[in-house]
Coordinates of all heavy atoms in Angstrom, one line a residue:
A112 N 11.2 20.3 8.7 CA 12.6 20.6 8.4 C 12.8 22.1 8.2 O 13.6 22.5 7.4 CB 13.0 19.8 7.2
G113 N 12.0 22.9 8.9 CA 12.1 24.3 8.7 C 11.4 24.7 7.5 O 10.4 24.1 7.1
D114 N 11.8 25.8 6.9 CA 11.1 26.3 5.6 C 11.4 25.4 4.5 O 12.5 24.9 4.3 CB 11.6 27.7 5.3 CG 11.3 28.7 6.4 OD1 10.2 28.5 7.0 OD2 12.1 29.7 6.6
L115 N 10.4 25.1 3.7 CA 10.5 24.2 2.6 C 10.0 24.9 1.3 O 8.9 25.4 1.3 CB 9.8 22.9 2.8 CG 10.2 21.9 3.9 CD1 9.3 20.8 4.0 CD2 11.7 21.5 3.6
S116 N 10.8 24.8 0.2 CA 10.2 25.3 -1.1 C 9.4 24.1 -1.6 O 9.4 23.0 -1.1 CB 11.4 25.6 -2.0 OG 12.1 24.4 -2.3
G117 N 8.7 24.4 -2.7 CA 7.9 23.3 -3.3 C 8.8 22.1 -3.7 O 8.4 21.0 -3.5
E118 N 9.9 22.4 -4.3 CA 10.9 21.4 -4.7 C 11.3 20.6 -3.5 O 11.5 19.3 -3.6 CB 12.1 22.0 -5.4 CG 13.0 21.1 -6.1 CD 14.3 21.7 -6.5 OE1 14.5 23.0 -6.3 OE2 15.2 21.0 -7.0
E119 N 11.6 21.3 -2.4 CA 12.1 20.6 -1.2 C 11.0 19.7 -0.6 O 11.2 18.6 -0.1 CB 12.6 21.6 -0.2 CG 14.0 22.2 -0.7 CD 14.4 23.4 0.1 OE1 13.5 24.0 0.9 OE2 15.5 23.9 -0.1
L120 N 9.8 20.3 -0.6 CA 8.7 19.5 0.0 C 8.4 18.2 -0.8 O 8.2 17.1 -0.3 CB 7.4 20.3 0.1 CG 6.3 19.7 0.9 CD1 5.5 20.7 1.7 CD2 5.3 18.9 0.0
E121 N 8.5 18.4 -2.2 CA 8.4 17.3 -3.0 C 9.4 16.2 -2.7 O 9.1 15.0 -2.6 CB 8.5 17.7 -4.5 CG 8.5 16.6 -5.5 CD 8.8 17.1 -6.9 OE1 8.4 18.2 -7.3 OE2 9.5 16.3 -7.7
A122 N 10.7 16.6 -2.5 CA 11.7 15.7 -2.3 C 11.5 15.0 -0.9 O 11.6 13.7 -0.8 CB 13.1 16.4 -2.2
A123 N 11.1 15.7 0.1 CA 10.8 15.1 1.4 C 9.7 14.0 1.2 O 9.7 12.9 1.7 CB 10.4 16.1 2.4
G124 N 8.6 14.4 0.5 CA 7.5 13.5 0.2 C 7.9 12.3 -0.5 O 7.4 11.2 -0.2
L125 N 8.8 12.4 -1.5 CA 9.2 11.3 -2.3 C 10.1 10.4 -1.4 O 10.0 9.1 -1.5 CB 10.0 11.7 -3.5 CG 9.2 12.2 -4.6 CD1 10.1 12.7 -5.8 CD2 8.3 11.1 -5.2
G126 N 10.9 11.0 -0.5 CA 11.7 10.2 0.4 C 10.8 9.4 1.4 O 11.0 8.2 1.6
L127 N 9.8 10.1 1.9 CA 8.9 9.4 2.8 C 8.2 8.2 2.2 O 8.1 7.1 2.7 CB 7.9 10.4 3.4 CG 8.4 11.4 4.4 CD1 7.4 12.6 4.6 CD2 8.7 10.7 5.8
T128 N 7.8 8.5 0.9 CA 7.1 7.4 0.2 C 8.0 6.2 -0.1 O 7.7 5.1 0.0 CB 6.5 8.0 -1.2 OG1 5.7 9.1 -0.9 CG2 5.7 7.0 -1.9
M129 N 9.2 6.6 -0.5 CA 10.3 5.6 -0.7 C 10.5 4.7 0.5 O 10.6 3.5 0.5 CB 11.5 6.3 -1.2 CG 12.7 5.4 -1.6 SD 14.1 6.4 -2.0 CE 13.7 6.7 -3.7
G130 N 10.7 5.4 1.7 CA 11.0 4.7 2.9 C 9.8 3.8 3.4 O 10.0 2.8 4.0
A131 N 8.6 4.3 3.2 CA 7.4 3.6 3.7 C 7.1 2.4 2.9 O 6.4 1.5 3.4 CB 6.2 4.6 3.7
W132 N 7.6 2.4 1.6 CA 7.3 1.3 0.7 C 7.7 -0.1 1.3 O 8.8 -0.2 1.8 CB 7.9 1.5 -0.7 CG 7.6 0.5 -1.6 CD1 6.5 0.4 -2.5 CD2 8.3 -0.8 -1.9 NE1 6.5 -0.7 -3.2 CE2 7.6 -1.5 -2.9 CE3 9.5 -1.3 -1.4 CZ2 8.0 -2.7 -3.4 CZ3 9.9 -2.5 -1.9 CH2 9.2 -3.2 -2.9
D133 N 6.9 -1.0 1.1 CA 7.1 -2.4 1.6 C 6.4 -3.3 0.7 O 5.4 -3.0 0.1 CB 6.6 -2.4 3.1 CG 7.3 -3.5 3.9 OD1 8.1 -4.2 3.3 OD2 6.9 -3.6 5.1
F134 N 6.9 -4.6 0.7 CA 6.3 -5.6 -0.1 C 5.9 -6.7 0.7 O 6.7 -7.6 1.1 CB 7.2 -6.0 -1.3 CG 6.5 -7.0 -2.2 CD1 5.8 -6.5 -3.3 CD2 6.7 -8.4 -2.0 CE1 5.2 -7.4 -4.2 CE2 6.0 -9.2 -2.9 CZ 5.3 -8.8 -4.0
K135 N 4.6 -6.8 1.1 CA 4.2 -7.8 2.0 C 3.1 -8.7 1.5 O 2.7 -9.7 2.1 CB 3.7 -7.2 3.3 CG 4.8 -6.7 4.2 CD 4.3 -6.2 5.5 CE 3.5 -4.9 5.4 NZ 3.5 -4.0 6.5
E136 N 2.8 -8.5 0.2 CA 1.5 -9.2 -0.3 C 1.7 -10.7 -0.5 O 0.7 -11.4 -0.6 CB 1.0 -8.5 -1.6 CG 2.0 -8.4 -2.7 CD 1.5 -7.5 -3.8 OE1 0.7 -8.0 -4.6 OE2 1.9 -6.3 -3.9
L137 N 2.9 -11.2 -0.5 CA 3.1 -12.6 -0.6 C 3.5 -13.3 0.7 O 4.1 -14.4 0.7 CB 4.1 -12.9 -1.8 CG 3.6 -12.4 -3.1 CD1 4.6 -12.7 -4.2 CD2 2.3 -13.0 -3.5
K138 N 3.4 -12.6 1.8 CA 3.7 -13.1 3.1 C 2.4 -13.2 3.9 O 1.6 -12.3 3.9 CB 4.7 -12.2 3.9 CG 6.1 -12.4 3.5 CD 7.0 -11.6 4.4 CE 8.5 -11.8 4.0 NZ 9.4 -11.0 4.6
T139 N 2.3 -14.3 4.7 CA 1.2 -14.4 5.6 C 1.4 -13.4 6.8 O 2.5 -13.3 7.2 CB 1.2 -15.9 6.2 OG1 1.2 -16.8 5.1 CG2 0.0 -16.1 7.1
A140 N 0.4 -12.7 7.1 CA 0.5 -11.7 8.2 C 0.8 -12.4 9.5 O 0.3 -13.5 9.8 CB -0.8 -11.0 8.3
P141 N 1.7 -11.8 10.3 CA 2.0 -12.4 11.6 C 0.8 -12.3 12.6 O -0.2 -11.6 12.3 CB 3.1 -11.5 12.2 CG 3.0 -10.3 11.4 CD 2.4 -10.6 10.1
P142 N 0.8 -13.1 13.7 CA -0.4 -13.0 14.6 C -0.6 -11.6 15.1 O 0.4 -10.8 15.2 CB 0.0 -13.9 15.8 CG 1.4 -14.4 15.5 CD 1.8 -14.1 14.1
A143 N -1.8 -11.2 15.4 CA -2.2 -9.9 15.7 C -1.2 -9.2 16.7 O -0.8 -8.1 16.6 CB -3.6 -9.8 16.2
E144 N -0.9 -10.0 17.8 CA -0.1 -9.3 18.9 C 1.4 -9.0 18.4 O 2.0 -8.2 19.0 CB 0.0 -10.2 20.1 CG 0.6 -11.6 20.0 CD -0.3 -12.6 19.4 OE1 -1.4 -12.3 18.9 OE2 0.0 -13.8 19.5
E145 N 1.8 -9.6 17.3 CA 3.1 -9.3 16.8 C 3.1 -8.2 15.7 O 4.1 -7.8 15.2 CB 3.8 -10.6 16.2 CG 4.3 -11.5 17.3 CD 4.7 -12.8 16.8 OE1 5.1 -12.9 15.6 OE2 4.5 -13.8 17.5
Q146 N 1.9 -7.9 15.2 CA 1.8 -6.9 14.1 C 2.2 -5.5 14.5 O 1.9 -5.1 15.6 CB 0.4 -6.9 13.5 CG 0.2 -8.1 12.6 CD -1.2 -8.2 12.1 OE1 -1.8 -7.1 11.9 NE2 -1.7 -9.3 11.7
R147 N 2.9 -4.8 13.7 CA 3.2 -3.4 13.9 C 2.5 -2.6 12.8 O 2.6 -3.0 11.6 CB 4.7 -3.2 13.8 CG 5.4 -3.7 15.0 CD 6.9 -3.5 15.0 NE 7.4 -4.0 16.3 CZ 7.9 -3.2 17.2 NH1 8.0 -1.9 17.0 NH2 8.3 -3.7 18.4
A148 N 1.9 -1.5 13.2 CA 1.2 -0.7 12.2 C 2.2 -0.2 11.2 O 3.1 0.5 11.5 CB 0.5 0.4 12.9

Side-chain angles (χ1 to χ4, degrees):
D114 296 328
L115 294 176
S116 67
E118 190 194 356
E119 289 166 348
L120 190 142
E121 175 186 326
L125 284 175
L127 288 164
T128 306
M129 181 183 278
W132 182 87
D133 201 357
F134 184 86
K135 281 188 291 210
E136 55 191 278
L137 300 178
K138 275 189 183 172
T139 305
E144 63 275 15
E145 283 168 32
Q146 281 179 27
R147 286 182 177 247

